[in-house]
Amino acid sequence: MSVRHFLTLRDLTADELRRIITRAGELKAIHRRGDRHTPLQGKTLGMIFEKSSTRTRVSFEVGMAQLGGHALFLSPRDTQLGRGEPVEDTARVLSRMVDVVMIRTFAHETLERFSAHSRVPVINGLSDDVHPCQLLADLQAYHEHRGDIRGRTVAWIGDGNNMCHSWINAAALLDFKLRVACPKGYEPDARFVEAGAGHVEIMQDPHAAAAGADLVTTDVWASMGQEEEQARRAAAFAADYQVDAALMAQADPQAVFMHCLPAHRGEEVAAEVIDGPQSVVWDEAENRLHAQKALLEFLLGAYI
Ligand code: CP
Ligand code: NVA
């Protein structure tokens, strides 16, 4: 059987995605009971980070340890990747030594080139295009707090970025409605919008997007790699695209607020929202650990 990769949520069927979310909940319960569950003994995860990370690095490293395996942090600065060794050669070599690879990179194409030459599963730990691991954790969090997301309405407020693209993919897979409100010029990439047709609606008015929504979510205005655009982006977003209490009041009273973190209070989200009662951001962050353990089990054939 050919090796399975997880470069985008679309690499899973809807059924596989649901099974991973359910399994993530089971793994969380196992951990909370203090039980040991070590199906990945002797397995090693190689982690290549071209960009900074707190949650992704810690959750993968701790997750492998909890499953009985081992994780290896590799920075291009300290490996031959940073001195020009081709991605294809790195993939051939690493995948003869480790059992699974996670990559956080800029160009999504790097993941595609790496996976095309890898003997072992490759996981996208964030690219400029998508952030599918975060969606596993977020969907798990929605399920924990509000049940099945099918048929619900999610409001994305802000930049049409990698997280927005992954929410579009999730909407199509799990059959919910996504309303995206963003300033002109900051819409999600047409490729994702077309693929999510029937599930995604693009608009500019954040209040229209949030009206009656079951979940309101946002992300930074300038993603990693866009640091020099910070001022221009702040000018485009600041007037209308902060998720504050007034915007949350448009949503369903039972709506939850999500943010993948790191967050900038006073920019894309007001402190009263992210630190308020509707916020489930700490559960999202915690779930990275369990959702990715479920993904590792799935890709390594350890359970599902
Ligand atoms: N949400 C997320 O991926 O966080 P890190 O950048 O800290 O990994
Ligand atoms: N959109 C953000 C997400 C960080 C987890 C970025 O790419 O920087």
Side-chain angles (χ1 to χ4, degrees), residues 51 104 126 131 161-163 219-220 222-224 260-262:
K51 294 178 176 177
R104 170 167 283 198
L126 180 147
H131 193 8
N161 64 11
N162 46 8
M163 276 298 301
D219 188 15
V220 291
S223 286
M224 290 182 278
C260 65
L261 305 175

Side-chain angles (χ1 to χ4, degrees), residues 138 142 146 149 152-158 167 177-179 181 206-219 241-260 268-269 273-274 278-281 284:
D138 294 357
Y142 190 84
R146 296 287 181 265
I149 199 165
R152 302 289 188 163
T153 298
V154 176
W156 173 272
I157 311 296
W167 273 105
K177 193 199 294 178
L178 181 68
R179 295 197 202 119
H207 290 269
D214 301 291
L215 191 172
V216 179
T217 185
T218 187
D219 188 15
Y241 294 91
Q242 181 183 101
V243 179
D244 56 14
L247 190 61
M248 285 303 293
Q250 306 289 310
D252 186 274
Q254 292 296 309
V256 290
F257 171 76
M258 291 196 186
H259 191 310
C260 65
E268 75 276 5
V269 60
V273 172
I274 194 168
Q278 288 169 286
S279 173
V280 297
V281 300
E284 294 175 75

